[in-house]
Amino acid sequence: MSNSPRRTLVGRRGTPPVVQAEAHLVDQYTRLVSLAYLTLPATLTRHRRVLLAHGIVQRALPRTGGMRGARRAEVVPAQRTAGGEHIADHLRERVLRAALNCERRPRGWPKRLPPPRTMLNRLPAVWGLRLFPRAGGAEELALGNTLAHVPAATRAAFVLRHLERLSDSKVNELLGAAGVQEPHRALRASHRLDATAGPTAETLLRSQEFDACSVQTRPTDLLRRRRRFALLWAVTAAVAVLVVLAASLGGDDGEQPTIALPAGAVGPDQLVRVPGELWADTSRVDFSAWPPRGDRTDDTQLLTRALATWAAPPKTVRVTKSVGATSQPPSSEPQLLFAGAVRERTVAVFHDGQRLVRYTESSGAEPALDFARADDADVTTAAAVVLDRGRAGTRYLLAPWIVEAAHRDLLRPDAPARPLDFGKDGITEPVASPSAKGPCDAWPVLQLRSSDLIVEKHAFLVTDLGGLTPAHLSYTPLPGQGAPARQPREATSTNALTSWTRTACRLGEFRDDGVRAVNVWDFAEQELPDRGGRAVWSCTRATTWRGPGHVLLQFKAQGTDSAPLVGRADATAACSRFGQHVLASTQWVAPSGGRYLLAAGSREVVSLKVTGAVEAAVQGRALARKISSPDARVKVRARLSDGSGLDPIGT
């Protein structure tokens, strides 16, 4: 049975009465228009966003079930409480879906135009007139700039939480119903925006800066508009002549034109070039020890274009940043890591001590800049850089201390690792990356081994989570008897690979989140009642380059392939060396059919207590008590060896 947010919110119950829906739309028109206006892409002008927002809301009314010619029956939210909330959810979903569609463009569609299916929402059109909300203050401007640089789904989650005052669970369901693929990630990203808006988020969103119903009007430039018609044919002819000249004079070698460096920008002669064997004779083994590699490290024109683009990116350049990274120009001389051809593209990679910067250019396409955090990297997190992702696979640039590479599937721990070829310059052959969409039937990882000059036979796993550098995977086994707490180790042993098998598909939840390392910690084991076998409780922690981490708790019962989530937390130190105490609980159905409340804690837990529908107290780190109903409400709490209390993660 699916637990998709879309299925939990949406049901096929027929459309709500149109008269009631219209009354609700008119009553909440301003809030719905604000929701659409704030969700629409900031790349549109404020005039276009105002018109689109009004058009989207005015077309949010459902069709009647008996409407002649209707293409299909509407899919509307199932009634959860009162009819009013049912209709409100339905209207919010339709508004969100239409606004989010404005960012989903077919390949090759112009960036300044919405996709074809949303062109109708541009009506009503206002000729010769410009509409825009009144200007706000500095705080509103700062919030507007912040919202402009995040995905539409994140903006929508932020507005639903603060403007509509919806709970996280309701926001998650609405986003899923509106077609967002991973609503929990958009919701998590919206919480990070709270640091910008602070406690005044609701007040700011209700200000005139974002009120698309209280607008100012201004005419367009009347004389300019008149001249445009007169010059239309002349401009068309001039463009045609330029196209012909460009086609006749352009070269066939695909080279990009040379551009001048901005004043004060770093030039190719100022780049830091590390000697080739420095990595074998230094105590700091990270990106600062990489020598320059590639077949174009002496190409002054390429390096000039890359550095000039980094210093002052033109508007046509695609710029992407990992979470927590900045796109500022270099403050000192950056280090050159790579410059060369990768398939049909040319790539240059730099390191400025805090960030990795990848410049990419290819014939017939605008250059691209990618920024990622790389501070405090080490032997494992500086072991590889993604040079190119394509249909054939991903090509990595391996660190100079990597002497052996292989690839394996985390979902098949018994299958041996297969060798991965790479050249003298460190570029690997194409290797499969985890699929961002579709079923999770494989999870490819790289298995790398460093040189004996650094650590003897040090093998480790890394996996592609969408960033410039793959994330390092590690494993912490179950606690021992009376020994010091066990530390994370490389996930290459049989026990580690077996534990990772039922966690691998959860890694997709951390994609594009600036994750540097992921550790699976088996923090407790338990004998299940009714001869249910043995269960292991695991905590998966994804640590970001910024420091805070995301935590997922799983319950792994013997004899089953599934490992359901029993808790999660974001922006937390839990399951790290700064958060070593963990408690989790869940309900479990035994093979005999009996239903049990289970709980377990980490090594410092000395007793457990349950209150509510079940009353129980035990000495030790695990508890199992029979319960009569899945809806039974209980509260679990643990006591640590130092006498302090501990609640389950996620509560």
Side-chain angles (χ1 to χ4, degrees):
M1 181 177 296
S2 169
N3 1 346
S4 149
R6 181 178 177 83
R7 291 189 180 273
T8 58
L9 178 67
V10 180
R12 299 181 178 273
R13 295 175 57 92
T15 57
V18 176
V19 175
Q20 296 181 33
E22 181 187 22
H24 187 89
L25 187 148
V26 172
D27 183 57
Q28 300 296 324
Y29 185 79
T30 300
R31 291 170 62 176
L32 291 172
V33 169
S34 294
L35 174 61
Y37 178 80
L38 287 161
T39 304
L40 285 167
T43 52
L44 299 174
T45 64
R46 293 203 295 170
H47 170 75
R48 295 296 187 191
R49 289 167 66 195
V50 167
L51 294 184
L52 270 172
H54 284 272
I56 286 171
V57 174
Q58 291 176 18
R59 287 166 180 80
L61 276 180
R63 303 185 188 94
T64 58
M67 177 178 286
R68 185 175 181 179
R71 290 177 296 176
R72 61 178 177 85
E74 287 293 323
V75 179
V76 302
Q79 187 165 347
R80 297 168 64 88
T81 52
E85 183 180 350
H86 167 48
I87 295 175
D89 284 347
H90 179 52
L91 293 176
R92 289 191 192 108
E93 179 199 338
R94 290 176 64 88
V95 169
L96 280 174
R97 182 180 294 277
L100 291 169
N101 280 343
C102 289
E103 277 201 351
R104 300 166 185 158
R105 308 171 187 279
R107 181 175 297 178
W109 190 258
K111 291 184 177 181
R112 297 186 63 86
L113 293 177
R117 58 185 171 185
T118 61
M119 291 292 283
L120 182 62
N121 286 334
R122 203 175 271 282
L123 300 174
V126 183
W127 293 99
L129 200 63
R130 289 293 176 263
L131 311 175
F132 48 91
R134 299 179 180 273
E139 291 182 331
E140 289 86 347
L141 181 61
L143 178 58
N145 289 335
T146 300
L147 293 176
H149 290 87
V150 299
T154 302
R155 291 195 298 271
F158 185 81
V159 174
L160 289 171
R161 288 174 48 238
H162 292 291
L163 191 62
E164 297 290 318
R165 299 181 180 179
L166 299 183
S167 64
D168 282 3
S169 59
K170 193 61 172 288
V171 172
N172 192 66
E173 292 175 350
L174 273 173
L175 292 177
V180 177
Q181 294 296 324
E182 296 178 299
H184 64 277
R185 296 190 60 192
L187 179 60
R188 192 164 62 204
S190 75
H191 278 281
R192 291 198 291 265
L193 296 181
D194 291 350
T196 301
T200 62
E202 181 178 345
T203 303
L204 294 178
L205 290 176
R206 295 183 184 277
S207 68
Q208 58 186 8
E209 173 79 21
F210 307 113
D211 188 355
C213 288
S214 299
V215 296
Q216 299 181 87
T217 60
R218 292 289 185 274
T220 57
D221 190 327
L222 303 179
L223 293 178
R224 181 187 298 176
R225 191 171 64 191
R226 180 180 297 175
R227 287 194 295 268
R228 282 177 178 173
F229 283 102
L231 295 176
L232 176 62
W233 293 108
V235 171
T236 304
V239 169
V241 170
L242 289 175
V243 170
V244 172
L245 288 175
S248 61
L249 298 178
D252 296 328
D253 57 357
E255 288 291 332
Q256 301 288 335
T258 302
I259 59 177
L261 283 168
V266 175
D269 57 332
Q270 297 174 279
L271 290 172
V272 175
R273 297 170 183 259
V274 172
E277 299 301 322
L278 176 67
W279 61 269
D281 193 26
T282 178
S283 60
R284 180 178 175 181
V285 185
D286 58 13
F287 289 113
S288 65
W290 278 39
R293 287 174 293 172
D295 56 4
R296 299 183 66 174
T297 56
D298 296 323
D299 189 335
T300 302
Q301 292 188 3
L302 167 63
L303 298 178
T304 299
R305 290 194 299 270
L307 293 170
T309 304
W310 181 4
K315 293 183 178 180
T316 55
V317 173
R318 179 184 60 82
V319 179
T320 61
K321 301 179 296 181
S322 67
V323 179
T326 66
S327 58
Q328 301 299 320
S331 57
S332 59
E333 292 82 2
Q335 176 186 346
L336 177 62
L337 303 185
F338 178 84
V342 184
R343 293 193 308 131
E344 69 276 9
R345 300 178 181 177
T346 303
V347 179
V349 182
F350 307 94
H351 176 242
D352 68 353
Q354 300 293 320
R355 299 169 296 171
L356 283 177
V357 182
R358 185 182 65 188
Y359 170 82
T360 307
E361 63 181 28
S362 60
S363 178
E366 295 293 341
L369 276 175
D370 299 280
F371 296 86
R373 291 274 296 263
D375 48 314
D376 200 25
D378 56 23
V379 174
T380 57
T381 53
V385 171
V386 174
L387 288 182
D388 175 72
R389 290 187 179 93
R391 292 184 177 180
T394 300
R395 292 181 185 268
Y396 295 90
L397 177 66
L398 300 183
W401 55 82
I402 298 300
V403 296
E404 185 179 294
H407 58 107
R408 66 186 312 147
D409 185 357
L410 273 187
L411 299 186
R412 293 162 179 82
D414 296 331
R418 292 168 292 173
L420 176 66
D421 292 335
F422 59 97
K424 293 182 179 179
D425 56 1
I427 301 178
T428 69
E429 61 180 337
V431 60
S433 286
S435 175
K437 299 179 180 179
C440 180
D441 51 12
W443 196 277
V445 296
L446 297 184
Q447 182 168 307
L448 308 177
R449 186 174 70 83
S450 58
S451 168
D452 294 348
L453 298 176
I454 299 177
V455 178
E456 185 177 358
K457 298 180 180 179
H458 180 217
F460 54 93
L461 301 184
V462 295
T463 190
D464 184 7
L465 292 182
L468 279 185
T469 57
H472 175 216
L473 305 184
S474 58
Y475 170 69
T476 305
L478 287 163
Q481 296 294 330
R486 291 182 171 174
Q487 300 301 312
R489 57 197 65 184
E490 300 306 340
T492 53
S493 67
T494 301
N495 288 341
L497 293 172
T498 301
S499 182
W500 262 106
T501 300
R502 288 195 279 178
T503 302
C505 289
R506 295 288 180 183
L507 285 170
E509 301 191 26
F510 308 132
R511 191 184 301 274
D512 299 325
D513 241 357
V515 172
R516 63 176 295 170
V518 186
N519 178 61
V520 170
W521 173 27
D522 291 340
F523 66 89
E525 62 180 336
Q526 181 177 15
E527 290 296 328
L528 299 176
D530 287 359
R531 299 181 180 180
R534 178 173 168 270
V536 173
W537 299 76
S538 294
C539 181
T540 302
R541 175 181 173 82
T543 302
T544 64
W545 286 95
R546 307 181 313 281
H550 311 301
V551 165
L552 303 177
L553 276 81
Q554 291 176 274
F555 175 75
K556 303 175 180 178
Q558 185 178 3
T560 63
D561 293 331
S562 63
L565 285 184
V566 296
R568 75 163 66 230
D570 295 313
T572 177
C575 300
S576 72
R577 65 191 183 97
F578 301 108
Q580 301 181 18
H581 308 311
V582 183
L583 174 64
S585 64
T586 189
Q587 291 188 17
W588 173 76
V589 178
S592 64
R595 181 176 295 274
Y596 288 86
L597 169 70
L598 304 178
S602 53
R603 66 191 307 270
E604 292 296 324
V605 170
V606 295
S607 66
L608 297 171
K609 184 177 182 180
V610 182
T611 56
V614 175
E615 299 284 342
V618 299
Q619 297 295 315
R621 297 168 45 214
L623 173 146
R625 286 293 184 272
K626 201 163 188 177
I627 57 176
S628 57
S629 167
D631 298 324
R633 294 195 173 188
V634 297
K635 181 178 180 180
V636 180
R637 189 167 174 79
R639 186 170 61 86
L640 302 175
S641 58
D642 62 1
S644 59
L646 180 67
D647 292 320
I649 286 182
T651 60

